[in-house]
Amino acid sequence: MAIKAVFFDIDGTLLNDNKRVEKATVLAIKNLKEQGILVGVATGRGPGFVQPFMDNLGLDFAVTYNGQYIFTRDKILYQNQLPKSLIYRVIRYAGDKKREISLGTASGLVGSGLIEMGTSTFGQIVSRLVPKKLTKTVENSFKKIIRRIKPQNMDYLKTIMREPVFQIVLVATEGEGQKLRDKFPQITITRSSPYSIDLISHGQSKIKGIERVGDIFDFDLDEVMAFGDSENDMEMLTGVGIGVAMGNGQDELKSIADYTTDSNNRDGISKALAHHGLIHLDPEEGFKSRDDNFNKAKDFHLLMDGSVNHTPRLYSITEGGNRANFKVEEIVEFLYAASQGDHHDFTQSILNLHAAVDKAAQKVQSKPHPETPLVGEVDALTDILYFTYGSFVLMGVDPKPFFDIVHEANMGKIFPDGKAHFDPQTHKILKPDHWEDKFAPERAIKKELDRQIQKSLQRTQ
C-alpha cells in the first residue's frame, strides 16, 4: 500500500536514550515531508512536552496523552477531558493506597516527584537497565527516596483538577493493572513504563487518535506506518498498514509487528523507512537521480544485491536476454488481463505477440545501426519507459501510487534468513513463502484504482 502518513512514539523511539533525535532521523523526516508524506507523533506524553519537537522537526500533527489531546502546530484538533468525579476518585484511591500520582494537563504532568523522575532522561535509562523481575523492588525503593525528600500533596492535586485533565499517571506494578480495571471500568489502562500506568477515557487510544487525524487529513489506517517500543504501542502497530517495532522494544511488541528495525540509538527509524522504500539509502559513492522511481529501484537492488553500478555499462547478450524475459512475462500478464479471461482471445494475442517479435527482429536487422551498443540499449529501455507512461496516459491512470505499492511489495522479498534468494540461472529475485499473504500488491492496487475512479467521477459531476 502507498504510505501517506508516518507516526512515531517518542520515548525509546523518536528519541534515543539521551533524549535526542538522531541526525539520521531528522534527515529522514525532512525527506518524508519533501515527498508530501505527513509526519506526526503518537505518544503518552502531553502537548507541553511534544511542542518543541513539533516546531524543531516541522511535524504535521501530534496525538498526545494516548489519543486524548490532538493538535497541529497552529490549532487543537481534538481534546477529551476526564470527568472530574473520576479524577477525584482516582486521587482518593492513590491516597488510600499511598500511590504516587500525576495529572496530565495541557501544560504537562503535575504531581508526583517519583513520576517526574521516572519520565526524565535518568529514569528512562534506569528503567531499561533494570531486569523485569526487579521492577517492584526498584519501584518501592524509589518511593521511599522520594517521600523522604518531599511527600506528595494530594490536596494540591485536588486544586489542579480544576483544570482540564486528559490523562492520569499512577505508579503501579504490572500485577495491579487488572485490579484497577475492575475498580474503574470506565477508563482504559495502558503502560509505557514498567513502573507506572496511564489512565485515559474508555475507548481512547493512540490508534483511535491516528484514525481521527486520518479523517481530517484524508488517509486511512492502512496507509499509515507507525513506530513504537512499548506496551501502549501494541494496538497502534497492529492497527496500521505497517507496524514497526524498535530493536530496543519489548519482545511482545516485536512478535506482533510487521517489521523489527534497529534500536533507537542506532538509526532504527531511518533504516526501517529505507527498508520499506519511503526514503533512499545514501551510499558513500555513486549518484542520486532526479527520477524518484529510479532511486527506489536502486534502493531495492542495494537491499537485494548489496551493490549497484555507478558507471554506465553494457549488458551482455545473456544478461540482457534475462532482463528482456522479465519484461516479456509482464507483457503476457498484461495481455491476459486485456483478454478478460477469454481463452481464445488470449491465445490469439500470444500468437500476435510472436508475430510482432518476428516482425521487429526483421526490422531491426534490416536497418543500419551507427550508434554504439550501449546507446542502443539505453535508447530501447527509454522507449519502453515512454511507451509504458503513454499506456498509463491512455488508460487515465496515475502510475505513481502504483509504483510505490509495487516497490513496497518488492522490498518484502527478503527470506527468513535475512537475505534475498535468486534463481541460479536468470538471477531473478525469488519470493519467500509468506510473500503472497503479507506483501502481494493486488489488494492495494485495487483500492488505489477505486480511489482514482471515484475521484475522476467527482470531477465530471
Side-chain angles (χ1 to χ4, degrees), residues 97-100 112-115 117 135-152 171 195:
K97 300 293 184 180
K98 295 182 171 53
R99 291 293 186 225
E100 299 285 327
S112 168
L114 174 61
I115 292 173
M117 178 185 287
T135 296
K136 187 172 178 62
T137 302
V138 174
E139 175 203 318
N140 290 335
S141 299
F142 274 172
K143 269 196 294 189
K144 290 176 183 178
I145 292 171
I146 293 297
R147 284 192 178 132
R148 285 177 183 173
I149 298 173
K150 185 178 180 182
Q152 183 163 20
V171 170
Y195 311 117

Side-chain angles (χ1 to χ4, degrees), residues 78-344:
Y78 175 83
Q79 52 183 326
N80 184 59
Q81 301 179 34
L82 288 166
K84 302 297 183 187
S85 58
L86 174 62
I87 300 168
Y88 181 73
R89 288 176 58 209
V90 176
I91 291 174
R92 286 192 58 186
Y93 173 87
D96 293 342
K97 300 293 184 180
K98 295 182 171 53
R99 291 293 186 225
E100 299 285 327
I101 183 174
S102 287
L103 304 182
T105 68
S107 58
L109 283 178
V110 181
S112 168
L114 174 61
I115 292 173
E116 183 177 353
M117 178 185 287
T119 56
S120 67
T121 302
F122 171 76
Q124 293 287 316
I125 294 174
V126 168
S127 69
R128 296 184 187 281
L129 296 177
V130 175
K132 192 172 182 179
K133 62 183 179 180
L134 297 180
T135 296
K136 187 172 178 62
T137 302
V138 174
E139 175 203 318
N140 290 335
S141 299
F142 274 172
K143 269 196 294 189
K144 290 176 183 178
I145 292 171
I146 293 297
R147 284 192 178 132
R148 285 177 183 173
I149 298 173
K150 185 178 180 182
Q152 183 163 20
N153 185 343
M154 294 296 179
D155 290 334
Y156 173 60
L157 287 179
K158 293 171 185 175
T159 301
I160 294 299
M161 66 173 282
R162 296 173 186 169
E163 301 179 35
V165 173
F166 306 96
Q167 178 171 278
I168 301 172
V169 181
L170 186 68
V171 170
T173 60
E174 293 189 9
E176 291 178 279
Q178 190 55 51
K179 294 179 182 178
L180 284 161
R181 289 184 182 92
D182 294 339
K183 186 171 183 63
F184 302 104
Q186 65 273 58
I187 60 175
T188 291
I189 296 175
T190 186
R191 183 183 293 274
S192 57
S193 161
Y195 311 117
S196 63
I197 56 175
D198 300 337
L199 284 66
I200 56 178
S201 296
H202 182 69
Q204 299 292 320
S205 64
K206 288 185 179 183
I207 193 66
K208 282 288 186 182
I210 292 174
E211 191 173 31
R212 287 190 173 94
V213 175
D215 290 340
I216 297 171
F217 285 84
D218 192 29
F219 59 80
D220 297 327
L221 288 178
D222 61 1
E223 296 172 319
V224 172
M225 186 177 188
F227 292 73
D229 73 309
S230 299
E231 177 187 311
N232 70 338
D233 297 315
M234 292 188 70
E235 187 181 8
M236 174 173 72
L237 264 57
T238 56
V240 299
I242 301 175
V244 179
M246 302 300 293
N248 52 287
Q250 297 176 358
D251 290 340
E252 189 177 2
L253 188 74
K254 295 176 184 178
S255 70
I256 57 91
D258 297 303
Y259 180 74
T260 297
T261 187
D262 212 331
S263 78
N264 62 324
N265 296 318
R266 292 172 53 86
D267 299 334
I269 285 177
S270 59
K271 289 176 180 178
L273 290 170
H275 175 82
H276 286 89
L278 271 70
I279 64 172
H280 300 302
L281 300 172
D282 290 319
E284 294 181 0
E285 58 180 15
F287 66 94
K288 185 174 182 179
S289 173
R290 287 177 292 176
D291 183 339
D292 187 59
N293 289 345
F294 172 90
N295 292 326
K296 289 187 175 181
K298 188 175 183 181
D299 286 344
F300 171 73
H301 283 281
L302 279 169
L303 176 68
M304 299 296 169
D305 302 332
S307 65
V308 295
N309 286 295
H310 303 297
T311 301
R313 57 96 175 180
L314 182 72
Y315 278 115
S316 69
I317 186 60
T318 300
E319 192 179 8
N322 289 335
R323 301 302 302 181
N325 291 341
F326 301 159
K327 297 177 181 66
V328 168
E329 182 179 344
E330 302 306 324
I331 291 171
V332 171
E333 287 190 13
F334 174 81
L335 290 175
Y336 182 80
S339 73
Q340 302 180 56
D342 186 293
H343 178 74
H344 177 270

Side-chain angles (χ1 to χ4, degrees), residues 392 397-407 445 448-449 452:
F392 277 118
V397 171
D398 176 5
K400 173 60 176 171
F402 300 105
F403 186 94
D404 294 342
I405 289 168
V406 170
H407 174 65
I445 288 175
E448 174 60 23
L449 267 176
Q452 291 194 19

